[in-house]
Amino acid sequence: MSNKLFLTPKFITTPSQNGVGRYVCQLQRVVLKFCKNHGSSRGLREFIEHDLINYSKENPGTVVYLKPRRHRGPVIVGEYLNGDQQSIYCRNFSREEISKWLNLLLSQSGNHDGTRLRKLWHTEHPSIQGPWTPYTFRDPMLNLVKFPNADLSKVLNQPKTATEQLLELFEKKKNDHAPKQQSE
Amino acid sequence: MSWLRQLCLNFTKYTRISTTGALNITNLRIGHAFSTAPTPYEVVNPNENRQLTDEIIGRVNEEKKGRLFAIVHLAGKQFKVTEGDVIVVEGYWPPTTGDKINLDKVLMLGAPNFTLIGRPLIQTSLIDVHATVIEKTLSHTKVNFKKKRRKQYKRINFYRIQQTMLRINKVGFVGELNKPEGVVVKDRSYT
């Protein structure tokens, strides 16, 4: 079921561990539908005349079918090993455009229309050294602390009170004046 | 083991030269943007803590066989990869499906008990990260919509980005740490 209005969010999927041992092309068959007379199929007809033999020789794993039909628009239909089907309507496409779209079908692993990748990374082992917790890289002495603990229970980032500030100022002045008195 | 984990291993140079924090201010002349005085430095005794360094290197060489991860620089982005991962490279990137490539720009290599940090890269003779291109596709259609209020200006543009999926086949640590004699520089192809 493909939704035309909204994209389905998906994660990266790879059919049957492709690429772990060797790479297997996932395109099973391609059907080129075209009209023998109409101008809108001209690019596809040119592609068939000039490039199709090379294309099928280079990709022996893919079956290519040709389906001429009168007075209908040209379509490329690809079928993948996972059962997906993808059709591309290529009215007035040039020969180069056709070969580009066919190469896209070749290099894809399924029909990704209507889906959006949520992450550009897939892994079975998200962490090797262990996931971070609030206790990683903390002082192990914290394990032996006995509660209630006055030092750890203090309110953090408490601003200085006016009394403390005044006391600090007084201490500072006292220190400033101390060496002078000695020199005299 | 955490003390071992946090150690950045210095394996490329025997002698470490570190700059001292104190700057000689008398060499700076007012009116000049930069000082011409040489940067002060001190030579650290290379034999200091030799035993500890040797012990750490020995343990790293022992423990390098488990599952490793690597930070790989690829097509302008950095990926954290381990064996069996799939990553997506966005934008135009020439390799095609079925291609096997070596990822030589490795910034960091990690195992459960140690981490090698490159400065900025780890020597290519020490690491072996290779991958297979498994898919080349296009992203979903993205919309670029611009509008200026009260200015009769509205533009809409649709585009799709090329995406290349890579399967990481191996993240390995070959060779021995701190053995620079047998260093062989491979033919590098940086991406």
Side-chain angles (χ1 to χ4, degrees):
Chain A
M1 189 199 80
S2 73
N3 197 326
K4 293 272 175 182
L5 272 177
F6 300 104
L7 296 165
T8 350
K10 276 192 177 169
F11 292 101
I12 299 174
T13 49
T14 44
S16 56
Q17 300 283 309
N18 198 5
V20 168
R22 68 195 174 100
Y23 166 75
V24 176
C25 178
Q26 296 293 308
L27 187 67
Q28 200 177 16
R29 63 178 77 92
V30 165
V31 185
L32 306 178
K33 301 175 182 176
F34 63 101
C35 174
K36 287 183 181 175
N37 306 315
H38 205 276
S40 64
S41 319
R42 203 183 74 180
L44 189 52
R45 285 199 304 267
E46 278 177 6
F47 177 84
I48 291 165
E49 277 173 36
H50 297 102
D51 308 322
L52 188 65
I53 298 290
N54 277 338
Y55 179 85
S56 53
K57 264 185 193 164
E58 279 163 18
N59 309 296
T62 312
V63 190
V64 182
Y65 294 100
L66 296 180
K67 189 176 178 185
R69 48 195 198 159
R70 269 184 221 151
H71 311 143
R72 307 208 25 208
V75 179
I76 299 170
V77 180
E79 280 174 53
Y80 295 96
L81 287 176
N82 64 357
D84 277 1
Q85 204 180 43
Q86 187 171 10
S87 57
I88 295 157
Y89 186 60
C90 35
R91 183 173 171 270
N92 291 338
F93 275 20
S94 67
R95 189 175 139 193
E96 289 78 31
E97 277 176 289
I98 300 274
S99 73
K100 270 196 177 179
W101 282 106
L102 276 172
N103 281 328
L104 179 79
L105 288 183
L106 258 185
S107 58
Q108 283 189 149
S109 71
N111 185 0
H112 300 309
D113 284 350
T115 59
R116 168 177 69 86
L117 279 186
R118 287 184 59 180
K119 288 227 164 75
L120 301 182
W121 178 53
H122 173 266
T123 182
E124 299 286 330
H125 305 272
S127 180
I128 308 294
Q129 299 184 341
W132 182 88
T133 69
Y135 302 105
T136 37
F137 310 127
R138 294 296 291 274
D139 186 5
M141 279 303 283
L142 284 171
N143 295 331
L144 303 173
V145 168
K146 284 211 173 99
F147 290 100
N149 184 305
D151 223 29
L152 289 173
S153 310
K154 265 194 306 195
V155 181
L156 294 171
N157 305 325
Q158 194 79 334
K160 278 176 189 165
T161 59
T163 320
E164 278 172 349
Q165 282 179 14
L166 276 173
L167 276 173
E168 219 170 70
L169 274 176
F170 176 71
E171 286 292 320
K172 204 181 163 195
K173 273 210 167 165
K174 215 165 79 175
N175 288 338
D176 286 350
H177 286 292
K180 265 190 185 174
Q181 284 166 356
Q182 275 177 1
S183 63
E184 281 168 13
Chain B
M1 283 319 243
S2 63
W3 59 274
L4 188 61
R5 186 180 297 166
Q6 288 181 48
L7 270 167
C8 168
L9 292 158
N10 183 2
F11 59 89
T12 46
K13 281 184 184 172
Y14 288 111
T15 316
R16 192 154 48 89
I17 295 169
S18 72
T19 54
T20 49
L23 267 172
N24 195 356
I25 297 165
T26 48
N27 285 329
L28 281 170
R29 272 198 293 150
I30 296 160
H32 278 254
F34 302 105
S35 163
T36 51
T39 314
Y41 66 90
E42 60 172 337
V43 178
V44 176
N45 181 12
N47 292 324
E48 207 179 43
N49 297 330
R50 198 56 209 257
Q51 205 184 346
L52 181 68
T53 319
D54 284 347
E55 194 196 323
I56 293 170
I57 289 168
R59 290 178 82 162
V60 167
N61 282 331
E62 271 171 36
E63 293 180 14
K64 67 187 180 187
K65 294 197 178 66
R67 180 171 281 278
L68 307 171
F69 73 86
I71 310 264
V72 162
H73 193 281
L74 180 62
K77 281 184 182 175
Q78 292 176 13
F79 297 90
K80 187 206 138 204
V81 294
T82 181
E83 216 169 289
D85 278 13
V86 181
I87 53 173
V88 177
V89 176
E90 284 196 315
Y92 172 73
W93 198 55
T96 51
T97 48
D99 286 2
K100 299 207 167 198
I101 54 173
N102 279 340
L103 307 177
D104 279 353
K105 262 191 186 178
V106 177
L107 303 159
M108 191 197 264
L109 192 82
N113 289 328
F114 69 87
T115 311
L116 300 185
I117 300 166
R119 303 188 307 182
L121 300 178
I122 296 179
Q123 293 167 21
T124 44
S125 57
L126 277 178
I127 42 107
D128 179 26
V129 181
H130 55 255
T132 315
V133 181
I134 53 169
E135 190 172 349
K136 292 200 78 147
T137 179
L138 294 172
S139 71
H140 65 276
T141 309
K142 298 185 175 189
V143 186
N144 181 8
F145 179 69
K146 289 188 272 187
K147 182 185 164 79
K148 286 177 185 171
R149 280 189 287 176
R150 303 178 295 279
K151 297 286 180 285
Q152 290 78 46
Y153 176 88
K154 204 154 54 161
R155 299 282 182 276
I156 192 159
N157 190 22
F158 300 97
Y159 64 101
R160 295 174 82 183
I161 294 172
Q162 284 159 304
Q163 290 179 328
T164 308
M165 290 177 197
L166 273 178
R167 166 86 67 188
I168 306 295
N169 293 122
K170 197 184 177 196
V171 177
F173 179 3
V174 291
E176 293 241 319
L177 206 59
N178 214 19
K179 282 260 172 77
E181 292 92 44
V183 170
V184 181
V185 178
K186 283 194 281 185
D187 193 19
R188 291 177 187 178
S189 53
Y190 285 155
T191 43

